[in-house]
Amino acid sequence: MTALNLARMVAAAADTIAAHADELTALDQAIGDGDHGLNMKRGFEAVRAEADLFAAKPLPDALKAIGTKLVMTVGGASGPLFGTLFMALGKEISAGPDRANLTAAFGKAIEAVAARGKSQVGQKTMLDVLQPVHDALADGKTATEIVDVADAAAEATVAMKALRGRASFLGERSIGHMDAGARSTALLVRTVAEAIGEVA
Ligand code: ADP
Ligand code: MG
């Protein structure tokens, strides 16, 4: 990935999060405390502000630095988890990753998020999008297909009962609403896939 690509990808991610901040807030208002849109916007604007600095680094270091910045700026439960995702990805990825390396690194990063959150798939969290996206990558799906997998996976959290995070306090009443972190994860997957340039 070129420096220009990474800077462009960061800007696209920040644009997407900003454009959907109200939606993410509304989702988090329904079954959480309503700060997810603001949390993500604050974090991704902070990353955008230093995009050129990050883009000048080799990809592994850039991802680690982005993860550190997200931990410091997103806040809430999701900040350390998204931060862990990027930091672990940076630790495992090569400077010029092929699909196999990206898939393996992404798998390790998901494991790191699960360890940090003491969570697993099926608990109505960001993991319910991350894992299907990993599996689609491993299955050789196209970028367009992976975006569809991410959207469907976020949609599938509507029917789930939350077992982690604030939404779990609601028990059965968490059913019927999309998980905010699952939605923001699907938005980021779309942005990355589009920036990589294979999405029709
Ligand atoms: P907070 O819950 O502290 O207000 P946010 O609203 O920013 O933080 O983020 C909430 C999102 O974080 C949830 O929608 C969920 O996807 C994710 N999340 C919360 N706790 C966990 C966890 N233990 N493991 C994985 N994801 C989690
Ligand atoms: Mg919240």
Side-chain angles (χ1 to χ4, degrees), residues 39-180:
N39 287 348
M40 292 295 282
K41 196 171 159 195
R42 186 174 53 243
F44 278 84
E45 291 305 333
V47 173
R48 187 210 297 270
E50 292 180 30
D52 292 340
L53 205 76
F54 299 138
K57 297 176 188 285
L59 184 61
D61 295 340
L63 290 171
K64 284 183 225 163
I66 289 170
T68 304
K69 182 58 72 176
L70 289 175
V71 170
M72 293 190 307
T73 55
V74 174
S78 61
L81 296 169
F82 277 116
T84 295
L85 181 75
F86 282 85
M87 289 190 291
L89 200 55
K91 218 172 116 200
E92 303 289 339
I93 210 161
S94 66
D98 58 9
R99 192 184 183 105
N101 173 248
L102 175 64
T103 305
F106 192 49
K108 294 275 189 204
I110 294 170
E111 281 174 24
V113 172
R116 176 101 204 201
K118 299 184 175 59
S119 44
Q120 60 188 48
V121 169
Q123 297 181 323
K124 196 178 178 110
T125 71
M126 59 178 73
L127 287 175
D128 291 305
V129 171
L130 291 171
Q131 190 63 49
V133 165
H134 168 270
D135 296 347
L137 258 177
D139 287 349
K141 298 265 198 287
T142 65
T144 309
E145 288 169 336
I146 290 170
V147 168
D148 289 344
V149 164
D151 286 342
E155 197 60 50
T157 66
V158 172
M160 292 180 183
K161 181 173 139 183
L163 297 173
R164 286 290 179 277
R166 286 176 194 279
S168 67
F169 305 158
L170 294 182
E172 299 286 330
R173 281 186 292 135
S174 66
I175 298 172
H177 302 275
M178 190 184 294
D179 176 60

Side-chain angles (χ1 to χ4, degrees), residues 28 32-36 39 76-77 166:
D28 195 34
D33 57 356
D35 62 352
H36 190 60
N39 287 348
R166 286 176 194 279

